[in-house]
Amino acid sequence: KISIIVPFYNVEKYLRKCLESIESQTFQDFEVIMIDDESPDNSISIAREFSSKDDRFRVISQKNKGLGGARNTGILEAKGEFLFLLDSDDYIKEDSFKQLINFATSNELDLVVFNYDKVDEDGNKVASPKFGSGLLSKDEAFRKILSLQTSPQAWNKFYKRDLFINNSILYPEKFLHEDLPVTYRLFWNADKIGYLNESYYYWLVREGSITQKFTYKHINDITAALLGTKKYLNEQNILEKYE
């Protein structure tokens, strides 16, 4: 029913906790696709340990393509009706899948947005952003994502896999903040979007992660994403409406 995609690179310190949080889910009808993005550390051994004891877990190794390219591999390999994109240094609450699948199927949703807890390495809560609740019209949901009232991160969403496949939407490779140019396209192509006012995801803020750095490439990629958004809105003839 659900395909969980977990790309990993240099996260041996965190990967086990991430995978254990999947393993302990109350909803068990899932597959886990772990993508080894040419990780130089011992992460692959941890991933293989899980795949050897549970055939729902499998490992795919590939040449380094960055987080976006690794996610694409998982999306294209996935067999589930729904997708959950989990970063390998983060983890989830044990009833996440149960609540998300119930909400998505009972309301026939293409995309679900939920809250998250931002935590430090000791598990202390740093912040808990709230994004609202209920079923939103396409226009209202699109305005929220464009104005960043909804976070653009890939991982606090629950997707119908067809949303990616039917609309040929994939992440850019070796692009920082790769979810920024993709998430709004998913919103635009989703017919039904719902918001759950619950936190199911723990986002670990750690030194050395992509979001804690600030370089010329960060600036260039964010600028490219925003210019790409404007170009996409223009192509859809909706730039004037949402500018």
Side-chain angles (χ1 to χ4, degrees), residues 167-182:
N167 299 292
S168 301
I169 297 174
L170 291 173
Y171 291 93
E173 292 183 9
K174 296 192 174 180
F175 191 96
L176 300 176
H177 303 286
E178 73 298 320
D179 29 22
L180 190 57
V182 171

Side-chain angles (χ1 to χ4, degrees), residues 4-6 15-28 30-34 50 54 56-57 84 86-87 90-94 97:
I4 302 104
I5 296 165
V6 186
L15 184 58
R16 184 177 300 280
K17 185 170 185 176
C18 172
L19 299 178
E20 285 175 347
S21 76
I22 300 172
E23 198 176 41
S24 62
Q25 287 295 302
T26 54
F27 182 89
Q28 292 280 305
F30 60 75
E31 65 170 350
V32 186
I33 305 172
M34 302 171 287
F50 277 78
D54 189 334
R56 294 174 301 175
F57 289 72
F84 192 98
L86 177 56
D87 282 2
D90 300 334
Y91 50 102
I92 51 176
K93 293 185 178 177
E94 65 178 14
F97 298 158

Side-chain angles (χ1 to χ4, degrees), residues 10 28 43 48 53 64 91 101 114 118 123 125 127 132 136 170 173 177 184 189-190 213 234 239:
N10 234 12
Q28 292 280 305
S43 297
R48 285 174 178 156
K53 67 181 180 180
N64 182 267
Y91 50 102
I101 198 80
F114 51 91
K118 193 174 178 181
K125 194 182 297 185
L136 274 64
L170 291 173
E173 292 183 9
H177 303 286
Y184 75 89
N189 286 282
K213 297 176 183 175
N234 208 19
L239 178 59

Side-chain angles (χ1 to χ4, degrees), residues 37-48:
D37 198 35
E38 210 170 10
S39 182
D41 68 353
N42 197 42
S43 297
I44 185 69
S45 297
I46 297 168
R48 285 174 178 156

Side-chain angles (χ1 to χ4, degrees), residues 133-145:
S133 63
L135 308 180
L136 274 64
S137 69
K138 187 184 185 84
D139 179 72
E140 187 179 6
F142 197 54
R143 288 180 186 276
K144 279 174 73 76
I145 190 63

